[in-house]
């Protein structure tokens, strides 16, 4: 499959961009197309060209998405997509929470505790992976995380938003 992606990937992505109005939607279509191609690879006849086969999968996936959107109650009732976009643009974006006090408190931790917190919470490492990176036993990482949480509670209080 990797060979096909290397060989036909750019061309297929161009098709996805042409079909979809937004690059984000094109990327989703591109990934879905390759996933479906992988799922149905046993149905591909190697005696025939690959590109038309995968293009058909792409177009059918796109049509399925359009049908799904047409049935969606959120997108029904708009005569044009411009009217829908105008209405959706009037909806205010949710405010992003301010985590700067938390980041400042983390920056104020002793280095060993700060690094453990960053690896565990911000780099999504588990305790064993963080221990391996730091060159310490997993129990030490757990201890550092416990101490860091206690210090952060002390500094931040019991703020439920953080």
């Amino acid at each position: 499959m990797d060979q096909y992606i290397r060989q036909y990937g750019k061309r297929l992505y161009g098709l996805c961009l042409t079909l979809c109005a937004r690059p984000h939607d094109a990327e989703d279509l591109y990934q879905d197309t390759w996933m479906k191609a992988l799922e149905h690879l046993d149905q591909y006849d190697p005696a025939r060209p690959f590109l038309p086969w995968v293009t058909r999968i792409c177009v059918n996936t796109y049509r399925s998405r359009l049908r799904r959107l047409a049935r969606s109650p959120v997108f029904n009732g708009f005569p044009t997509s411009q009217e829908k976009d105008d209405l959706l643009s009037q909806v205010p974006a949710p405010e992003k929470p301010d985590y700067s006090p938390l980041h400042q408190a983390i920056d104020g931790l002793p280095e060993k505790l700060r690094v453990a917190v960053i690896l565990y919470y911000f780099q999504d490492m588990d305790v064993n992976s963080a221990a391996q990176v730091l060159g310490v036993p997993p129990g030490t990482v757990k201890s550092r995380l416990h101490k860091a949480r206690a210090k952060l509670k002390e500094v931040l209080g019991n703020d439920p938003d953080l």
Side-chain angles (χ1 to χ4, degrees):
M1 184 55 77
D2 290 335
Q3 173 193 353
Y4 290 127
I5 293 172
R6 278 192 299 278
Q7 190 172 359
Y8 301 109
K10 287 182 183 180
R11 185 177 245 172
L12 186 66
Y13 186 71
L15 172 64
C16 293
L17 281 173
T18 303
L19 291 173
C20 298
R22 297 182 204 125
H24 178 73
D25 294 337
E27 291 169 10
D28 287 345
L29 177 60
Y30 180 76
Q31 290 178 4
D32 289 347
T33 299
W34 284 115
M35 290 300 295
K36 286 185 180 184
L38 184 61
E39 289 173 12
H40 301 287
L41 192 59
D42 58 331
Q43 296 173 6
Y44 169 63
D45 179 9
R48 299 177 148 236
F50 183 81
L51 187 60
W53 182 76
V54 77
T55 301
R56 188 174 65 241
I57 292 173
C58 181
V59 171
N60 288 341
T61 303
Y62 174 71
R63 288 179 180 160
S64 294
R65 284 178 172 216
L66 287 181
R67 283 191 300 273
R68 201 171 326 128
L69 284 175
R71 284 181 272 158
S72 171
V74 173
F75 294 101
N76 281 344
F78 295 102
T80 66
S81 62
Q82 181 62 40
E83 289 183 28
K84 176 190 70 170
D85 290 342
D86 290 343
L87 180 65
L88 290 176
S89 69
Q90 294 173 8
V91 176
E95 289 186 30
K96 292 183 179 178
D98 180 22
Y99 291 118
S100 58
L102 175 63
H103 290 285
Q104 290 171 352
I106 291 170
D107 289 342
L109 289 172
E111 189 65 20
K112 288 181 179 183
L113 301 182
R114 189 176 75 78
V115 172
V117 166
I118 290 171
L119 291 176
Y120 187 76
Y121 290 105
F122 294 96
Q123 297 298 316
D124 292 326
M125 288 188 176
D126 61 16
V127 171
N128 291 329
S129 299
Q132 210 169 21
V133 167
L134 296 172
V136 297
T140 303
V141 173
K142 289 179 185 179
S143 173
R144 289 178 183 176
L145 290 172
H146 178 75
K147 288 177 187 175
R149 284 190 294 267
K151 286 188 182 270
L152 291 172
K153 281 183 186 177
E154 207 175 280
V155 171
L156 298 170
N158 288 329
D159 189 350
D161 294 333
L162 300 175

